[in-house]
Amino acid sequence: MSARNVLYAQSGGVTAVINATAAGVIETARRHPEVFGKVYAGRDGIIGALTEDLIDTSQEPEEAIASLRHTPSGAFGSCRHKLKGLEEAPAEYERLIDVFRAHDIGYFFYNGGGDSQDTSHKVSQIGERMGFPITCIGIPKTVDNDLPVTDNCPGFGSVAKYVAVSVREAAFDVRSMARSSTKVFILEVMGRHAGWIAAAGGLAAEFEGDAPHIIIFPEVAFDDERFLDRVRECVDAQGYCVVVVSEGARYSDGRFLSDSGTRDAFGHAQLGGVAPVVAAMIRARHGYKFHWAVADYLQRAARHIASGTDVEQAYAMGRAAVELARAGKNAVMPVIVRVSDEPYAWEVGEVPLAEVANVEKKVPRAYITEDGFGITEACRRYLRPLIAGEDFPPFEGGLPAYVRLKNAPVPKKVAAGFDI
């Protein structure tokens, strides 16, 4: 059987290491020309496939592809576009098949989180249903760490490291000025339904009384009175208080503290910033001077402080996806399987896409302290290896040197006019 072309695409919020996964896909496919032809990338994720806006990665030299391993964000562009069901929107699937057929694409690798794996699963089904053979492999990626089955998600370890480091450093600042100035610092981190990133902030604490003093998880219903009492207790005991709050913090009735009333492309509530909401509560009750910060894109783009473990695993997931396709597998996703905590060891496994699509993994209650404001030792054992190791990018002139690909377009072959 002759080699067929590959389409790789990135989806959802990007990370510090998603391009390492891209490097794993492209370099591994290039090593097997007897199976894989050219590797194309979808410009801006699945949107590139739907609009036939493809990138020819064969135009990139080996050194440029290798440099993806230390370059953050999505080198080919990402998107938030959720495919509807086949019966609901057959035109989208017909368009995908038209593009796949025109460019002899036999392998589709989709790199993303839960919603993206739903897309991967749907695409894996259309080949058989619409008479076009296509192998589809999902590749895990999400800073939220909320994909099931896999021990952890590429992208999470680096954002966890960034948050833990930031909390420790900010705490030194606040503590040094607390007697006459700021007494409360609040750091808002990502995590709509799962508080893994907020939990990682807990790694900053080394000794009793260290920051963060309070972590607010989406998994624990927020109680104004309990929270404000704890803030006062911390300031009385330590002289200051550092709070890490997940953007998805919510009340017992399910309302987000910061629901802005709008929706994103996946239908999720658009959150408007919980840190100032929490800060206003503290000011109204206690009158403490405070500062707050939103890590936002900084936390997921911080390749300069990426976790060595995360980089290694991100690359390995890309390589494994290609090897699974080469072995004849379809509709699966490679996963990280933890073998031991100490010494930390892991291996690559696989899971059917049907088991991960649209399923969220939240922080277990056993990982959260009884009072709901901290992490347990079991959580620390889980998190510590994921932020371990450094993998610094090269620096030039004091700044990280990141690659910018040519992203040469593939000539179009299908009739234009498809709108998303």
Side-chain angles (χ1 to χ4, degrees), residues 170-207:
F172 269 70
D173 186 306
V174 178
R175 185 175 60 181
S176 69
M177 297 289 291
R179 185 171 183 178
S180 60
S181 184
T182 301
K183 294 193 181 303
V184 179
F185 174 71
I186 304 154
L187 178 66
E188 177 182 331
V189 299
M190 290 177 173
R192 177 180 302 275
H193 299 129
W196 292 105
I197 298 177
L203 292 175
E206 186 176 9
F207 303 108

Side-chain angles (χ1 to χ4, degrees), residues 42 53 68 98 242 244 260:
D53 192 358
L68 287 175
D98 286 345
V242 173
V244 176
S260 66

